[in-house]
Amino acid sequence: MKLALIGQSLFGQEVYTNLRKQGHKVVGVFTVPDKDGKADPLAVVAEKDGTPVFKFPRWRVKGKPIPEVVEAYKAVGAELNVMPFCSQFIPMNVIDFPKHGSIIYHPSILPRHRGASAINWTLIEGDKKAGFSIFWADDGLDTGPILLQKECAVEPNDTVDTLYNRFLFPEGIKAMVNMAQPTEVIHNFIRGHDKVPGAWVVIDGKVLTLYSSSMLSGSVPTGQPVEVEGVSQPGLIAKSGLILFGFDGKALQVKNLQFEDGKMIPASKYFSSEETASLDLTDNEKKMAEEIRVIWKGILSNVPVIDDTTDFFKSGAASMDVVRLVEEVKQKCGGVQLQNEDVYMATTFQSFIQMFVRRLRGEDQEEELVIDYVTKDVNNMTVKMPYQCFINGKFEDAEDGKTYNTVNPTDGSVICKVSYASVADVDRAVSAAKEAFDNGPWGKMNPRDRGRLLYSLADLMEEHQEELATIETIDSGAVYTLALKTHVGMSIQTFRYFAGWCDKIQVCVYPIATSPLQRKSLWGDVCAIVIPWNYPLMMLAWKSAACLAAGNTLVLKPAQVTPLTALKFAELTVKAGIPKGVINIVPGSGGLVGQRMSDHPDIRKLGFTGSTPIGKQIMKSCAVSNLKKVSLELGGKSPLIIFSDCDMDKAVRMGMSSVYFNKGENCIAAGRLFVEESIHDEYIRRVVEEIKKMKIGDPLDRSTDHGPQNHKAHLDKLVEYCEIGVKERATLVYGGRQVDRPGFFMEPTVFTDVEDHMFIAKEESFGPVMVVSKFKDGDVDGVLSRANNTEFGLASGVFTRDINKAMYVSERLEAGTVFVNTYNKTDVAAPFGGFKQSGFGKDLGKSEQNTHCIITLYHFKTSFMTMRIMCMCIQVRKPCMSTCGLKL
């Protein structure tokens, strides 16, 4: 079709480009005249293509069409007029001339707002939905019949730019902010004028235009006061920006300020904007400056000479020229990373060169991470442990200054005081994560670059593995050799595994009857992670690696009793180059920090590992707050069935490992052993013999087999658990008591003659307690029924030399993982998770990627305009069990 394009701006340019790509012939472009010697972006691209371009200053005089203008238009022979945000008054004899008439692109959902500033008023009025309309032109003001409309939700901190993603609109007149209003109304007004035309206030007698407003959640940060005209409460210049208050006392935050001379600065630099000393350039830097001067001259062709005072924007540059300047400088001067915003912050040639050289020298990099370590000389090394909250790339005390003691379970001594995060700290962490997701580089960067950062993080963890294992040992009681191999070793493997997945989340195409159907995995948003105390670092890795690989940001709460490896991990993320705000760690109580994370409206996904009762509470809170997506790995009472035809040596060794591994503080621990009657007594005898050989003691001693329980309250529960078993007339064969030595040590314990109705047969000990029941020889179905008679379904196991029996039993055990002739063999590539009251959702493996993505269906139907209609897809998969270690 032959089209005439009547319009302007970058959006007009984008429409022109897309129409040509669709095969339409643009026979003429009608746009505005050059301004200060600079052509409109639409004219630039059309002239480059050789398309006829007409730059009429007006189409009418005193309400009447200009004949020569109309004739010039008719001469191109258009069959349809396309008008993307046209700011000129076009005569009706032009509108109606083509045989198909004229269509107009309009920046709102008609008839809500009309006119050129409709998109601005969408935000100013606080609308919950925005969009654009395509309609047939008529002689009214945006009143023609509507052809197509596209809607999108308006997020709380949207601006004109973010709302339409590169859709730019004609500049209007900057508007003064009326501060005598509720804060949300002020915020809507500022974001509605963001970029163009701009909203201004008077601060300390200066007219300043405000950009990048967001509502402030949580407590107000400290800052230096400034006088704001029209409001009694002064504003604050804080580290995060300018804080302003409406008459309701609520606060908003402004990121950038622009002075009347056009200079833009970060609001946080308001008091230091004039303090930067001028740099003396080296010969090589002077040479680069001259190359940049040539670039400026090429862009500002209307300026005779580029001197130090030449202002980029006052010389006629537009937003498209900003992109060109940044890209040309990056091309000429490789290795220097510039952003479009840098140009707005340094508008004169001299200030731009100074900014460029500082960037070249690395002088304007973010301030070096400051860490107030606790150090300890232990395990033949000096370990350095952060102890503060980690929020937005910095270690900070809790807002109210509260701390608590974290204790070494080996001797009960205090390791150090750790920040005790408050609700306000959680809010700050979520705000930082949301800002990093919405405006930071993490989710937007090339997935391979994100993968490289995660590989770098894994390398740093490996470099510090002895220190991490030592911290894990003194904070959780894990035996050092196990901490090194499993707690830390598998954490490193997990990050490497998911680093490799970053660029492999793909689009799938399904043929259906009506139209092609695409399924695309889009990145999620802010995720919350709550981890347990039994594997502090490994659970962090299992939960966070896939989350980060998918481009999400996160707020993580380590267990209150084991926060130190998580905080050391935070330090390593900075060294690896993970952008600030992507990872935030808030130690504290579950009732306070965990509950706030469950309730927070800006968190969209929460992963939890812990007890079933707490998991239920979290699920309820997540549903009531904002229907968060939840994955839960909860309690277990994993059955292990040992048949008489087993390899006895292996069954004894692996059976003990299934119970006593990591002191029994193991989510998949065999909570109940079923041993076939003919071998029962021999099996118990050999187990007790091996227990007597176990060395109980200092977990840093490389020869120690069994370390302390994680904390005193847990030890007390284990002693009580054993006392209940004795009262119920189960036979206590060995152990059952606290070890008589300093620290929180529990004897490895064995109970036999355990009947199905007993407390210890049904409830998880989460400790080194072997609970054994015998079953009659050959009664396979009977023992299967007993093994499945539990509300839990996390793991299970079977020992037999009979392949048919192994398959029969493993297929009928109701558990997320079935081990055959082995136990505790997890792998980062194998999905991990349970059934029933052991939770839902999977950690590890390819399937975990889907838990951190939004699955969206796109239906495409092609006509003159291509529209995308989105609907949500829920993936339903039949539960399946994985069988590991099968002996043929």
Side-chain angles (χ1 to χ4, degrees):
M1 187 180 296
K2 296 178 181 179
L3 307 178
L5 205 69
I6 307 174
Q8 63 193 69
S9 79
L10 280 173
F11 184 79
Q13 178 194 86
E14 185 174 311
V15 171
Y16 168 85
T17 302
N18 284 329
L19 290 173
R20 281 174 53 88
K21 284 181 180 178
Q22 292 175 15
H24 299 290
K25 183 177 181 180
V26 180
V27 294
V29 166
F30 299 84
T31 187
V32 294
D34 296 354
K35 181 180 178 182
D36 296 323
K38 298 290 293 181
D40 183 83
L42 173 57
V44 171
V45 69
E47 287 171 342
K48 184 177 179 181
D49 291 336
T51 301
V53 176
F54 304 85
K55 303 177 182 179
F56 301 133
R58 63 188 63 83
W59 291 71
R60 302 188 300 182
V61 174
K62 295 182 180 181
K64 294 183 179 181
I66 302 173
E68 56 268 30
V69 171
V70 174
E71 288 305 313
Y73 158 75
K74 291 181 177 180
V76 302
E79 297 172 325
L80 176 75
N81 290 333
V82 178
M83 303 167 65
F85 305 115
C86 178
S87 64
Q88 296 175 313
F89 290 98
I90 310 300
M92 284 306 299
N93 58 342
V94 172
I95 296 290
D96 295 334
F97 178 77
K99 68 177 181 180
H100 297 299
S102 301
I103 61 170
I104 297 179
Y105 290 53
H106 181 79
S108 81
I109 306 171
L110 288 172
R112 171 66 174 156
H113 298 295
R114 304 184 187 279
S117 296
I119 181 61
N120 303 76
W121 284 105
T122 298
L123 295 176
I124 293 168
E125 292 292 319
D127 292 357
K128 301 303 181 185
K129 285 189 176 181
F132 72 87
S133 306
I134 300 175
F135 66 96
W136 292 110
D138 65 359
D139 58 355
L141 180 63
D142 305 335
T143 56
I146 293 172
L147 271 170
L148 296 168
Q149 287 186 320
K150 180 179 179 180
E151 290 185 359
C152 62
V154 178
E155 297 296 329
N157 295 319
D158 262 332
T159 64
V160 169
D161 277 359
T162 62
L163 197 56
Y164 280 108
N165 186 24
R166 302 191 314 277
F167 289 9
L168 303 179
F169 304 97
E171 278 200 36
I173 305 300
K174 291 186 179 180
M176 182 176 180
V177 181
N178 177 9
M179 297 298 295
Q181 300 181 91
T183 305
E184 187 173 0
V185 175
I186 297 172
H187 163 63
N188 287 337
F189 191 83
I190 295 172
R191 68 184 179 130
H193 289 83
D194 202 284
K195 301 291 181 182
V196 290
W200 58 272
V201 293
V202 177
I203 295 179
D204 291 342
K206 305 171 187 173
V207 175
L208 297 175
T209 305
L210 312 177
Y211 296 105
S212 300
S213 170
S214 59
M215 290 295 291
L216 192 65
S217 59
S219 57
V220 176
T222 58
Q224 193 168 344
V226 290
E227 182 182 341
V228 182
E229 188 175 291
V231 63
S232 58
Q233 186 171 358
L236 296 172
I237 300 296
K239 290 181 179 179
S240 55
L242 168 65
I243 310 299
L244 295 174
F245 303 89
F247 72 62
D248 55 2
K250 295 181 180 179
L252 63 85
Q253 179 176 283
V254 173
K255 185 178 178 182
N256 296 321
L257 303 174
Q258 188 175 42
F259 293 91
E260 286 187 283
D261 63 1
K263 180 182 179 183
M264 184 181 284
I265 63 167
S268 60
K269 305 294 185 184
Y270 175 75
F271 288 111
S272 58
S273 60
E274 303 299 332
E275 295 176 2
T276 305
S278 179
L279 298 174
D280 291 326
L281 274 56
T282 66
D283 290 341
N284 189 51
E285 289 165 349
K286 289 177 181 177
K287 182 180 178 181
M288 288 185 177
E290 290 308 310
E291 291 177 347
I292 295 173
R293 193 187 302 273
V294 172
I295 295 172
W296 275 55
K297 178 60 179 172
I299 297 171
L300 305 176
S301 57
N302 57 308
V303 178
V305 178
I306 304 295
D307 58 28
D308 288 349
T309 61
T310 301
D311 187 286
F312 194 66
F313 296 103
K314 290 181 179 179
S315 299
S319 54
M320 184 179 68
D321 300 310
V322 173
V323 177
R324 176 180 167 184
L325 174 60
V326 168
E327 294 305 316
E328 283 201 55
V329 171
K330 286 162 65 174
Q331 186 179 42
K332 282 278 187 181
C333 311
V336 178
Q337 292 301 311
L338 297 179
Q339 305 294 331
N340 294 353
E341 194 174 76
D342 294 328
V343 183
Y344 292 100
M345 300 295 184
T347 61
T348 66
F349 182 75
Q350 183 182 38
S351 62
F352 184 86
I353 293 299
Q354 291 282 310
M355 176 275 298
F356 169 82
V357 172
R358 284 192 170 86
R359 187 67 51 85
L360 187 67
R361 296 178 183 181
E363 293 181 8
D364 66 343
Q365 298 301 310
E366 292 187 15
E367 56 193 77
E368 185 177 349
L369 180 66
V370 176
I371 307 176
D372 187 12
Y373 292 110
V374 169
T375 60
K376 283 193 176 295
D377 293 323
V378 61
N379 199 26
N380 298 316
M381 68 180 75
T382 299
V383 294
K384 300 165 69 176
M385 298 173 287
Y387 62 90
Q388 299 165 295
C389 301
F390 182 72
I391 299 174
N392 204 25
K394 296 180 180 179
F395 285 101
E396 301 175 337
D397 291 334
E399 189 166 281
D400 56 13
K402 288 185 178 180
T403 61
Y404 70 95
N405 294 332
T406 186
V407 174
N408 185 340
T410 302
D411 56 12
S413 63
V414 174
I415 302 171
C416 64
K417 290 186 177 296
V418 176
S419 291
Y420 189 78
S422 65
V423 168
D425 295 310
V426 177
D427 289 345
R428 287 192 300 121
V430 174
S431 178
K434 184 166 177 58
E435 173 68 17
F437 180 83
D438 289 341
N439 301 313
W442 186 247
K444 301 177 182 66
M445 70 171 58
N446 184 304
R448 289 181 182 174
D449 293 335
R450 187 161 54 247
R452 276 194 290 270
L453 290 176
L454 293 182
Y455 277 123
S456 176
L457 176 58
D459 291 343
L460 280 166
M461 292 172 71
E462 187 170 55
E463 183 181 330
H464 290 263
Q465 60 183 331
E466 288 85 1
E467 185 179 21
L468 286 166
T470 300
I471 296 172
E472 191 94 332
T473 295
I474 64 175
D475 203 25
S476 75
V479 172
Y480 176 76
T481 50
L482 179 66
L484 189 63
K485 179 182 183 295
T486 301
H487 289 232
V488 179
M490 194 171 188
S491 301
I492 295 167
Q493 292 173 23
T494 303
F495 274 100
R496 285 195 174 131
Y497 176 81
F498 283 107
W501 269 111
C502 286
D503 61 352
K504 298 175 185 66
I505 302 174
Q506 299 170 339
V507 174
C508 298
V509 180
Y510 304 106
I512 62 175
T514 56
S515 63
L517 174 66
Q518 280 194 325
R519 189 201 78 187
K520 186 178 183 182
S521 296
L522 303 175
W523 311 134
D525 208 320
V526 178
C527 298
I529 296 173
V530 181
I531 57 174
W533 41 258
N534 58 328
Y535 293 101
L537 187 62
M538 192 173 80
M539 290 296 99
L540 177 153
W542 281 26
K543 296 290 185 187
S544 65
C547 171
L548 295 169
N552 299 287
T553 59
L554 64 87
V555 179
L556 181 141
K557 190 197 90 65
Q560 184 173 346
V561 292
T562 54
L564 295 181
T565 43
L567 295 171
K568 186 66 180 181
F569 168 82
E571 176 193 345
L572 298 181
T573 67
V574 177
K575 293 181 178 179
I578 306 294
K580 68 177 184 179
V582 171
I583 296 170
N584 304 271
I585 296 179
V586 280
S589 72
L592 195 67
V593 175
Q595 186 62 51
R596 178 55 181 159
M597 291 163 73
S598 301
D599 294 335
H600 203 292
D602 287 335
I603 291 173
R604 295 297 177 184
K605 200 268 174 153
L606 189 147
F608 170 75
T609 296
S611 71
T612 298
I614 299 300
K616 290 179 178 180
Q617 177 61 41
I618 285 175
M619 189 173 176
K620 179 180 178 181
S621 298
C622 288
V624 170
S625 58
N626 62 342
L627 277 178
K628 292 176 181 64
K629 189 174 184 178
V630 180
S631 60
L632 303 172
E633 197 255 279
L634 307 175
K637 188 67 176 175
S638 302
L640 175 58
I641 303 173
I642 300 174
F643 289 99
S644 58
D645 62 352
C646 68
D647 180 329
M648 180 64 82
D649 290 340
K650 178 177 284 189
V652 169
R653 185 174 70 255
M654 299 304 297
M656 290 182 66
S657 173
S658 74
V659 176
Y660 303 127
F661 188 83
N662 200 45
K663 314 155 301 177
E665 296 168 353
N666 187 21
C667 53
I668 58 173
R672 192 174 182 194
L673 274 67
F674 295 92
V675 181
E676 200 158 11
E677 190 170 31
S678 59
I679 63 167
H680 175 274
D681 293 348
E682 172 66 10
Y683 185 84
I684 298 300
R685 182 186 67 78
R686 292 183 61 170
V687 165
V688 172
E689 283 181 0
E690 293 302 315
I691 290 175
K692 291 177 180 178
K693 299 175 186 177
M694 292 171 64
K695 180 179 178 180
I696 301 173
D698 182 359
L700 289 173
D701 185 335
R702 303 322 191 250
S703 63
T704 294
D705 299 301
H706 189 76
Q709 304 308 134
N710 187 276
H711 52 281
K712 181 65 164 60
H714 182 53
L715 172 65
D716 293 342
K717 285 184 179 180
L718 288 173
V719 172
E720 181 184 7
Y721 185 92
C722 293
E723 290 172 351
I724 292 173
V726 171
K727 287 178 183 178
E728 290 186 320
R729 303 289 179 85
T731 301
L732 178 61
V733 176
Y734 193 89
R737 299 183 299 270
Q738 179 178 355
V739 177
D740 185 17
R741 59 167 291 161
F744 311 141
F745 292 85
M746 179 76 186
E747 293 178 335
T749 300
V750 179
F751 278 102
T752 61
D753 302 317
V754 178
E755 298 179 13
D756 294 354
H757 68 274
M758 292 181 179
F759 175 84
I760 63 173
K762 296 185 291 184
E763 296 298 324
E764 181 180 27
S765 71
F766 212 65
V769 181
M770 182 178 284
V771 176
V772 184
S773 300
K774 66 176 70 171
F775 66 96
K776 292 182 180 179
D777 290 351
D779 188 12
V780 176
D781 290 327
V783 74
L784 267 172
S785 177
R786 295 171 70 189
N788 287 330
N789 186 25
T790 172
E791 278 300 300
F792 303 105
L794 189 57
S796 60
V798 56
F799 278 81
T800 177
R801 285 191 172 97
D802 185 337
I803 181 62
N804 294 320
K805 187 189 296 181
M807 295 304 298
Y808 181 87
V809 171
S810 63
E811 288 173 359
R812 288 163 178 77
L813 283 169
E814 298 170 358
T817 300
V818 179
F819 297 106
V820 179
N821 293 326
T822 188
Y823 212 88
N824 288 324
K825 300 299 183 184
T826 55
D827 189 273
V828 294
F832 180 91
F835 302 147
K836 299 189 282 190
Q837 293 201 48
S838 290
F840 50 81
K842 297 291 185 181
D843 292 328
L844 305 180
K846 179 181 179 181
S847 63
E848 190 181 3
Q849 284 294 328
N850 285 339
T851 71
H852 295 287
C853 295
I854 299 171
I855 310 300
T856 307
L857 295 183
Y858 294 87
H859 293 265
F860 290 84
K861 186 174 182 181
T862 304
S863 60
F864 171 67
M865 274 299 296
T866 299
M867 300 292 288
R868 295 190 302 174
I869 305 168
M870 291 177 279
C871 61
M872 296 307 296
C873 167
I874 301 173
Q875 287 190 321
V876 180
R877 293 185 179 180
K878 182 180 178 181
C880 61
M881 293 175 288
S882 60
T883 304
C884 304
L886 183 63
K887 295 282 285 186
L888 298 180

